[in-house]
Amino acid sequence: MRIEAIGCEPLQLRRVHLENSRSLDVYRRNGGYEAVKKVLDGMSPDDVINEVKKSALRGRGGAGFPTGMKWGFVPKDSPKPKYVVCNADESEPGTFKDRYLMERDPHLLIEGMLIAAYALSAKTNYIYTRGEYRYLIDIMDLALDEARAAGLLGNRILGSDFSCEIYTHTGAGAYICGEETALLSSLEGLRGHPRMKPPFPAVSGLYASPTVVNNVETLTAVPDIIKMGGEAYQKLGTEKSGGTKLWSVSGHVVHPGVYELPMGYDDMEKFIFEDCGGMLDGKQLKAVIPGGSSVYIMRADQIVGKDVRMDYEGLVAAGSSVGSGGFIVMDETVDIFESTKNLTEFYKHESCGWCTPCREGTDWLVKVFKRIDSGDGRPEDAQLMLDLCDNIEGKSFCPLGDAASWPIQSAIKRFPEDFRRRLAKNGDGIS
Amino acid sequence: MSSQPTQITRIGPLSQPVSLGVEPATFSSMVEAEIDSHLAKYPVARSAILPLMFIVQRERGYLDPAGVLYLANRLKVRVTDIWEVATFYSMIHTSPIGKYHIQVCRTLSCKIRGAGQVTEYCSNKLGIKVGETTADGRFTLSEVECLGSCGTAPMLQINFDYHENLTPEKIDQVLNALP
């Protein structure tokens, strides 16, 4: 597996290949904790937020919401304590970038969180890591101890007036806890059910206090933004999608891995066929899910010769989205009916059960998939699945319902032949 | 509409003690200190529920009724509060489980790189189906959802350890090396 930057100088991946890259010593010798020093030496919290706004950094967890704006929503005059929570509940199928950031460069995350905590005046902060990543929690705990011993955490950090603490927290196997309000429910010791928005976490989050929840990749981008300035960071990418982005590449390519690309990288075909070494065993490209399992699946002919730019706008124009950057490449041997069934079983398993459309809908969808799979598909089944999706999408309590619907809707539309083949015996009804 | 106020039968508080028929679990002073260190992280004790459940599981094999009672007392919440959280999360086990929990990732990226063969190989080697535990209590075989190891597929996790880029030979090696 490869971990490297293509088309840009590595920012977030700068240190991952250094020996002892986890240690404070190596981090400091390679530019580490300079950003937090710069912040404490004379930037106000508002200055920090403004730089992040200028950087056009968008949340890397999947939703792509502008980070500076999210920070700006936290009320300054609230008497309540404020919290920064790092979302390290990386569970979107096809996504594994946060894992390597934490494994190889834990101090980068700590520095990013320190800067966020300073900008938002947060004294207590948590890293919510999925339970399966136990070894990463151990790595983070060691790094936090090192930082504490060096005066980078705790009281009067680096001799300034700023004090704060960061703690690790473990999840226990629930995809839904990657949704920020479900994550906060879980962090409060409850079932991981999403909460009604508004109020948004920025106003009423953890323990009903102002809270910012940011993905690992988002927070680890912050130190470079401070060091080079928001404008310079933005210019590495495009006007609306600043900076660089990590893509987790899996499936049928010669070199799967984590790749750091400038936003707006040109283009997806080159990325697959050159940068990732091309298709495994010389097979034909059939489909790509470019942004984690929840986004629209793309046909090869939407990519090859289509000059698809890899950023938020480029992928929407091409008929999908960036999502979490979980880039799953599938060759001609993959049956899209099968792959969509696999993902629908995932969503059924991970539906938290809180709202009816998602709980019942995903269960029903799996039943229809199984019926078709066993050869008992009915002529109306493809339409039935689309109707079910229509009754989940936009009607569920949180985005998990949308995420469960989009793969099916796009698969039936873009790969009708794979569904027709299964339904051929009794008629397919696909128009 | 009658002007008379509706008579509502008051439902008793849910905080009535629930008898589990067991005594709460006890732990060594070292484990108690570890539990204290987790509780110290949070302004609200209940937040430590998941970290504490993992400790109870590690010490007792699974989250048994005595462990549940212990957690309820320790966190000053109801027994039902513990159960409702325990039954939500797939990594919390409320029934006994093998010493080695073999969890094969079944989601798309692993699936298209041979997850099915990994499950089948483990199943044949151990003589159990998915969801079963060997008679000696040594192995439990499960299929789980995406573990974030898609670039190194196919993979499986044994308890907390990742084993990636699997081949039949590598699976043999890993399983044979377990103490």
Side-chain angles (χ1 to χ4, degrees):
Chain A
M1 209 197 76
R2 287 191 174 171
I3 305 181
E4 61 184 56
I6 291 167
C8 60
E9 286 296 309
L11 286 185
Q12 310 214 38
L13 298 183
R14 188 182 293 136
R15 279 169 295 264
V16 294
H17 294 298
L18 298 176
E19 204 179 328
N20 282 328
S21 62
R22 282 176 206 166
S23 72
L24 176 60
D25 187 42
V26 170
Y27 185 66
R28 278 195 144 158
R29 276 195 276 122
N30 290 278
Y33 290 111
E34 280 169 17
V36 85
K37 203 176 274 173
K38 182 175 172 184
V39 163
L40 295 176
D41 273 354
M43 289 176 79
S44 70
D46 278 338
D47 292 341
V48 175
I49 295 176
N50 280 334
E51 284 309 316
V52 176
K53 279 184 178 163
K54 275 192 256 173
S55 74
L57 174 67
R58 295 172 62 165
R60 302 287 196 241
F65 192 81
T67 305
M69 201 189 285
K70 196 175 199 178
W71 291 11
F73 289 153
V74 172
K76 301 247 167 345
D77 48 0
S78 169
K80 292 180 178 175
K82 299 173 186 73
Y83 297 98
V84 171
V85 178
C86 172
N87 185 345
D89 193 58
E90 183 171 64
S91 312
E92 176 80 2
T95 314
F96 46 98
K97 62 196 169 67
D98 297 343
R99 178 179 162 200
Y100 290 99
L101 285 172
M102 293 165 79
E103 179 187 299
R104 308 284 179 96
D105 205 356
H107 283 283
L108 181 62
L109 176 57
I110 296 174
E111 185 170 15
M113 285 189 76
L114 281 174
I115 296 167
Y118 175 79
L120 303 161
S121 309
K123 296 271 177 289
T124 311
N125 311 281
Y126 298 99
I127 305 171
Y128 185 109
T129 309
R130 67 179 297 184
E132 294 90 342
Y133 283 176
R134 168 65 58 90
Y135 83 104
L136 293 181
I137 298 176
D138 296 340
I139 289 172
M140 288 309 308
D141 277 335
L142 279 176
L144 288 166
D145 285 345
E146 262 187 316
R148 209 168 281 128
L152 290 155
L153 266 183
N155 283 327
R156 304 184 58 85
I157 291 168
L158 296 174
S160 71
D161 290 335
F162 176 60
S163 305
C164 93
E165 254 310 335
I166 300 175
Y167 300 109
T168 55
H169 181 86
T170 180
Y175 169 71
I176 188 63
C177 293
E179 196 281 330
E180 62 176 4
T181 62
L183 184 152
L184 296 175
S185 296
S186 180
L187 186 46
E188 289 180 7
L190 306 167
R191 290 167 77 92
H193 289 308
R195 303 170 178 177
M196 182 67 88
K197 292 195 268 193
F200 288 90
V203 176
S204 179
L206 187 62
Y207 312 124
S209 297
T211 305
V212 160
V213 183
N214 280 146
N215 175 257
V216 175
E217 191 190 340
T218 312
L219 287 165
T220 51
V222 171
D224 277 307
I225 291 172
I226 295 301
K227 271 192 274 186
M228 70 171 71
E231 217 163 300
Y233 180 86
Q234 177 268 315
K235 289 214 165 77
L236 295 173
T238 63
E239 192 191 333
K240 285 184 184 149
S241 309
T244 61
K245 164 92 191 102
L246 300 182
W247 297 84
S248 316
V249 180
S250 65
H252 296 129
V253 289
V254 175
H255 301 299
V258 177
Y259 294 91
E260 181 170 10
L261 305 182
M263 280 288 188
Y265 184 77
D266 195 26
D267 67 279
M268 192 186 286
E269 183 182 358
K270 175 177 176 290
F271 180 56
I272 298 169
F273 289 96
E274 293 177 28
D275 306 329
C276 298
M279 298 299 293
L280 198 62
D281 302 330
K283 293 260 185 357
Q284 291 291 311
L285 174 69
K286 178 168 181 175
V288 173
I289 299 175
S293 62
S294 306
V295 306
Y296 288 164
I297 189 170
M298 299 172 78
R299 292 177 67 98
D301 61 20
Q302 291 177 289
I303 298 163
V304 177
K306 288 295 190 301
D307 201 24
V308 177
R309 268 191 313 122
M310 294 178 68
D311 61 16
Y312 291 96
E313 295 76 35
L315 274 179
V316 168
S320 190
S321 48
V322 168
S324 64
F327 197 92
I328 309 172
V329 181
M330 289 175 271
D331 71 17
E332 56 191 304
T333 63
V334 177
D335 177 354
I336 302 302
F337 172 87
E338 283 284 341
S339 69
T340 313
K341 173 172 174 275
N342 179 278
L343 292 181
T344 307
E345 285 164 346
F346 168 82
Y347 289 109
K348 182 209 161 197
H349 183 263
E350 300 299 342
S351 175
C352 79
W354 181 252
C355 74
T356 312
C358 177
R359 180 187 65 239
E360 303 300 320
T362 52
D363 186 59
W364 195 346
L365 282 163
V366 166
K367 282 182 182 150
V368 178
F369 267 110
K370 284 189 170 157
R371 175 162 80 207
I372 299 174
D373 197 30
S374 69
D376 296 327
R378 301 168 189 168
E380 67 274 18
D381 274 351
Q383 189 54 48
L384 173 61
M385 284 201 275
L386 291 174
D387 288 347
L388 285 167
C389 289
D390 189 42
N391 279 295
I392 302 172
E393 187 197 7
K395 298 180 177 76
S396 55
F397 193 78
C398 86
L400 194 147
D402 301 336
S405 309
W406 294 334
I408 299 173
Q409 292 168 332
S410 55
I412 294 178
K413 191 172 160 206
R414 292 175 181 172
F415 296 89
E417 60 279 7
D418 285 15
F419 286 79
R420 276 201 188 107
R421 198 179 317 122
R422 295 305 188 107
L423 289 161
K425 195 173 77 177
N426 300 328
D428 60 54
I430 298 173
S431 49
Chain B
M1 290 289 286
S2 143
S3 58
Q4 287 285 335
T6 316
Q7 198 69 33
I8 298 175
T9 311
R10 196 167 148 42
I11 297 168
L14 286 171
S15 53
Q16 286 161 355
V18 176
S19 168
L20 293 178
V22 292
E23 289 298 308
T26 53
F27 297 101
S28 70
S29 55
M30 230 166 79
V31 173
E32 285 291 341
E34 187 187 355
I35 288 172
D36 285 334
S37 75
H38 282 285
L39 285 165
K41 295 177 179 180
Y42 311 97
V44 176
R46 186 174 173 149
S47 280
I49 200 164
L50 291 178
L52 265 49
M53 279 180 179
F54 278 115
I55 293 174
V56 173
Q57 274 192 177
R58 186 191 68 206
E59 296 296 314
R60 303 183 64 83
Y62 71 105
L63 185 58
D64 62 345
V68 168
L69 202 53
Y70 169 85
L71 288 177
N73 292 343
R74 196 72 154 82
L75 297 172
K76 300 189 175 62
V77 296
R78 296 166 298 201
V79 164
T80 47
D81 292 328
I82 303 294
W83 281 125
E84 78 160 10
V85 170
T87 51
F88 184 83
Y89 295 94
S90 64
M91 293 179 77
I92 305 298
H93 305 292
T94 52
S95 53
I97 185 165
K99 180 179 176 197
Y100 297 111
H101 187 196
I102 300 173
Q103 302 150 88
V104 183
C105 174
R106 63 159 294 279
T107 320
L108 189 55
S109 295
C110 276
K111 160 103 174 168
I112 62 176
R113 294 296 296 264
Q117 288 98 298
V118 171
T119 305
E120 200 182 320
Y121 190 82
C122 292
S123 175
N124 289 338
K125 189 175 166 76
L126 302 172
I128 48 173
K129 292 204 224 37
V130 172
E132 291 180 350
T133 301
T134 52
D136 59 2
R138 207 167 138 78
F139 297 104
T140 298
L141 180 62
S142 300
E143 282 184 324
V144 296
E145 300 295 350
C146 188
L147 291 175
S149 193
C150 323
T152 43
M155 66 81 65
L156 56 76
Q157 189 174 24
I158 301 179
N159 297 346
F160 287 108
D161 296 329
Y162 276 60
H163 301 282
E164 309 173 274
N165 293 314
L166 295 176
T167 57
E169 297 75 44
K170 187 154 180 205
I171 298 172
D172 282 341
Q173 252 174 39
V174 168
L175 293 184
N176 295 341
L178 292 173

